[in-house]
Amino acid sequence: MPTLILLTFIALALSVGAVWIKPSPLLPVTPWQMWFAVALLCGGLSGVLHAPACVALAVFGGAAWLTTAASQKYLRIVAGVLTLVLAFALAIHKLPGFSNPVVIAGAVFSEGAKPFTQYANFDKGAVGLILLALICRRMASFAELGGVLRKTWPVLLVTVGVVMALATGAGFVHPAFKLPDVTLQFLAVNLFFTVVAEEAFFRGFVQARLASAMAGWRYGSWVAVACSALLFGAAHLAGGPLYAGLAAIAGLGYAYAYQRTQSIEAPILIHIALNAVHFIFFTYP
């Protein structure tokens, strides 16, 4: 991968990580904004980003900010709908102006597996970053980490165990341990440009707002959990009904972890753990 393109995605990944860094009163921008600006600059110079992409990201960022910052309720609702539409369109690569590079091309990782191609998706990664920074509930301090982890690890073990057992029993995957040279690259790209975006959208945005809207219902939070899981499964229908069903079951684990902790870190951790177990110990994809 050319150096400038590599720098584009390193800066975007750093901007995601910088969301948890507290801003300095001495700087006019937050750490994540600084790194995102670097990513945008490198992306423009490298050809990853073109003018329509910058416009789309600016509109999306403005809508996401208004979703929580607007003083009038109707503006928050309109901005929320626009955020929802643009986030989905960006995540499925329907908006022009992005030239996402291939990082793994047609690799066969184990016998019987289909060739796998992985892209570094700036559009989807930016969705995760902006939702994570402007909308999602996150841990407010490092002191919360222990409590979040205590509530998360049982859900992680059950989710990974159930999903992979069902996938194996259905013949969708087979045990196939492997550690190819691209393992760390695959996991890093998957975490920063796929997992964070999906969890920020389905849990931090959709589930959180459904739960808030149904706060007066007796089982409102559980309806939000179910809806989040079903929508996550529906988003994977392109892989077939079995794949969508497995994704919905996984989504149930992610959604429950979010409902239990009220922190976006929990579903992100479970999601990347499941993907890592799938990649390393089973046929992939």
Side-chain angles (χ1 to χ4, degrees), residues 93 156 192:
H93 321 302
L156 186 155
F192 287 107

Side-chain angles (χ1 to χ4, degrees), residues 248-262:
I249 294 169
L252 189 62
Y254 309 153
Y256 173 64
Y258 182 74
Q259 191 270 342
R260 192 179 190 201
T261 63
Q262 293 299 299

Side-chain angles (χ1 to χ4, degrees), residues 2 13 38 70 113-114 123 130 138 141 143 155 160 168 176-177 183 185-186 189 246 249 252 258-259 278 281-282:
V38 173
K114 295 180 180 179
D123 41 8
I130 291 171
R138 307 186 307 275
S141 67
V155 186
V160 172
T168 304
F177 176 79
T183 298
Q185 173 186 298
F186 165 82
V189 171
L246 291 168
I249 294 169
L252 189 62
Y258 182 74
Q259 191 270 342
H278 180 188
F281 294 100
F282 296 86

Side-chain angles (χ1 to χ4, degrees), residues 4-78:
L4 203 52
I5 295 179
L6 180 61
L7 289 175
T8 298
F9 288 94
I10 290 176
L12 183 57
L14 287 172
S15 65
V16 172
V19 166
W20 282 273
I21 300 176
K22 291 184 178 181
S24 169
L26 302 177
L27 297 175
V29 295
T30 62
W32 77 263
Q33 290 169 336
M34 180 186 69
W35 282 113
F36 191 41
V38 173
L40 291 171
L41 176 62
C42 292
L45 293 175
S46 65
V48 171
L49 302 177
H50 308 281
C54 296
V55 173
L57 291 175
V59 175
F60 175 62
W65 178 76
L66 285 172
T67 297
T68 56
S71 56
Q72 294 90 352
K73 184 178 180 180
Y74 79 92
L75 277 180
R76 294 196 299 272
I77 294 173
V78 171

Side-chain angles (χ1 to χ4, degrees), residues 64 66-69 76 79-81 83-84 134-137 200-215 224 258:
L66 285 172
T67 297
T68 56
R76 294 196 299 272
V81 172
T83 299
L84 179 73
L134 300 180
I135 291 178
C136 293
R137 295 171 182 167
F201 180 75
F202 286 102
R203 257 55 69 179
F205 183 58
V206 174
Q207 182 178 338
R209 267 147 183 74
L210 284 174
S212 178
M214 295 184 289
Y258 182 74

Side-chain angles (χ1 to χ4, degrees), residues 38-254:
V38 173
L40 291 171
L41 176 62
C42 292
L45 293 175
S46 65
V48 171
L49 302 177
H50 308 281
C54 296
V55 173
L57 291 175
V59 175
F60 175 62
W65 178 76
L66 285 172
T67 297
T68 56
S71 56
Q72 294 90 352
K73 184 178 180 180
Y74 79 92
L75 277 180
R76 294 196 299 272
I77 294 173
V78 171
V81 172
L82 182 58
T83 299
L84 179 73
V85 172
L86 288 176
F88 189 71
L90 285 164
I92 62 173
H93 321 302
K94 293 300 183 182
L95 297 185
F98 298 89
S99 297
N100 295 314
V102 174
V103 293
I104 298 175
V108 178
F109 293 119
S110 50
E111 185 177 352
K114 295 180 180 179
F116 173 72
T117 297
Q118 184 184 48
Y119 289 83
N121 293 311
F122 195 103
D123 41 8
K124 192 168 184 176
V127 165
L129 167 66
I130 291 171
L131 292 180
L132 189 66
L134 300 180
I135 291 178
C136 293
R137 295 171 182 167
R138 307 186 307 275
M139 292 187 303
S141 67
F142 189 75
E144 293 182 40
L145 179 60
V148 170
L149 289 177
R150 281 193 297 272
K151 293 180 180 180
T152 300
W153 74 262
V155 186
L156 186 155
L157 293 178
V158 171
T159 301
V160 172
V162 168
V163 172
M164 296 316 303
L166 290 174
T168 304
F172 191 71
V173 297
H174 306 283
F177 176 79
K178 57 196 173 298
L179 278 175
D181 294 340
V182 296
T183 298
L184 290 179
Q185 173 186 298
F186 165 82
L187 292 175
V189 171
N190 187 253
L191 171 62
F192 287 107
F193 311 131
T194 298
V195 170
V196 168
E198 292 179 355
E199 293 311 310
F201 180 75
F202 286 102
R203 257 55 69 179
F205 183 58
V206 174
Q207 182 178 338
R209 267 147 183 74
L210 284 174
S212 178
M214 295 184 289
W217 296 22
R218 185 176 180 182
Y219 299 107
S221 62
W222 294 107
V223 173
V225 166
C227 289
S228 173
L230 290 173
L231 289 171
F232 186 71
H236 291 78
L237 275 170
L242 176 57
Y243 185 53
L246 291 168
I249 294 169
L252 189 62
Y254 309 153

